[in-house]
Amino acid sequence: MSGRAVLVTGASRGIGRAVAMAFAAGGDRVAVHHRDSAPLAGQLVAALPGEGHVVVRADLADPDEVRAMVDDAADRLGGLDVLVNNAGVFGSAEAGHPVFDSSYEQWQQQWRRTLDVNLLGAANTIWCAARHLRNRGGRIVNVSSRGAFRGEPTQPAYGASKAGLNALGQSLAVALAPYGIAVATVAPGFVETDMTNEHLKAPRGDAIRAQSPFHRVARPEEIAAAVHWLASPEAEWASGTIVDLNGASYLRT
């Protein structure tokens, strides 16, 4: 089989869709993961250039489904060379879970849902995928967020989940390097996706776009380009890095 075998979680729309397109355009075979958007995933696979692409399904909050999904992807792709941990959840723009405006039950629910998918789901996917990536010169790229650094006052579980994902990636960059696996992370700011659509509507959207001196938010393809490079053979020495992709809307040293 030609090209690499690539698993992209949350690939049916947004950043994940752009990532899948970038890898397929480069000649790779892509497993398009979704939770409950089979029609969109199927449409994407049909639209990807090249051959050998597949659709896989799992609720990332379910460890058993994660394991079955990763093994299914590896079996149908003929192995696994790259994992892109892109899937994630974010609370609604209106609700969120501010500490003084949420009931204790709402607080618990939001934390459990967010960490189960964004952090534990990603960790479980890595554990399962590492068994297939081992000694293949594999790559893992995690999609984090600038919220891990600047804070998310109305969505604290989201910010904490992404900060945890950053730490997870750095820990595993050290742990997995002896097995030929490089691990890197991208941390986007706001991106034009279904998940952020309600946040980008006027009038709040104007304020969000004004956070960047470019007066816009990112396009999914811009994030996908960075992910694609970090997964390349040339990017091994970037293992452990966290790449800020926020249009200078948040700067750190």
Side-chain angles (χ1 to χ4, degrees), residues 40-221:
L40 287 176
Q43 291 167 17
L44 174 57
V45 163
L48 292 176
E51 299 178 344
H53 313 300
V54 300
V55 174
V56 293
R57 188 215 162 269
D59 180 350
L60 295 189
D62 186 321
D64 292 332
E65 289 192 17
V66 168
R67 190 170 197 173
M69 179 272 293
V70 172
D71 289 345
D72 182 37
D75 181 61
R76 295 167 66 192
L77 292 177
L80 200 59
D81 300 295
V82 178
L83 166 65
V84 180
N85 263 321
N86 165 75
V89 294
F90 188 83
S92 69
E94 293 80 11
H97 49 283
V99 65
F100 290 125
D101 295 319
S102 304
S103 70
Y104 193 44
E105 290 74 18
Q106 291 170 328
W107 178 262
Q108 294 293 320
Q109 182 183 38
Q110 287 297 321
W111 275 90
R112 186 177 302 110
R113 173 177 176 266
T114 304
L115 292 180
D116 277 352
V117 175
N118 293 6
L119 183 55
L120 295 177
N124 289 338
T125 304
I126 290 173
W127 188 95
C128 296
R131 270 93 187 131
H132 301 282
L133 295 169
R134 187 173 182 171
N135 298 320
R136 289 173 65 104
R139 297 287 184 269
I140 296 171
V141 183
N142 298 319
V143 179
S144 178
S145 168
R146 70 174 182 175
F149 303 110
R150 70 167 197 158
E152 294 287 351
T154 64
Q155 305 278 355
Y158 180 81
S161 72
K162 293 302 186 177
L165 186 62
N166 289 348
L168 172 66
Q170 292 184 318
S171 294
L172 293 183
V174 177
L176 298 180
Y179 303 97
I181 303 171
V183 185
T185 302
V186 296
F190 267 94
V191 184
E192 292 177 346
T193 67
D194 291 348
M195 190 170 77
T196 62
N197 181 56
E198 62 180 299
H199 299 265
L200 294 173
K201 292 178 181 177
R204 186 174 181 229
D206 294 335
I208 290 172
R209 284 181 282 273
Q211 292 173 5
S212 167
F214 293 102
H215 296 285
R216 67 177 180 87
V217 298
R219 298 183 296 273
E221 293 76 16

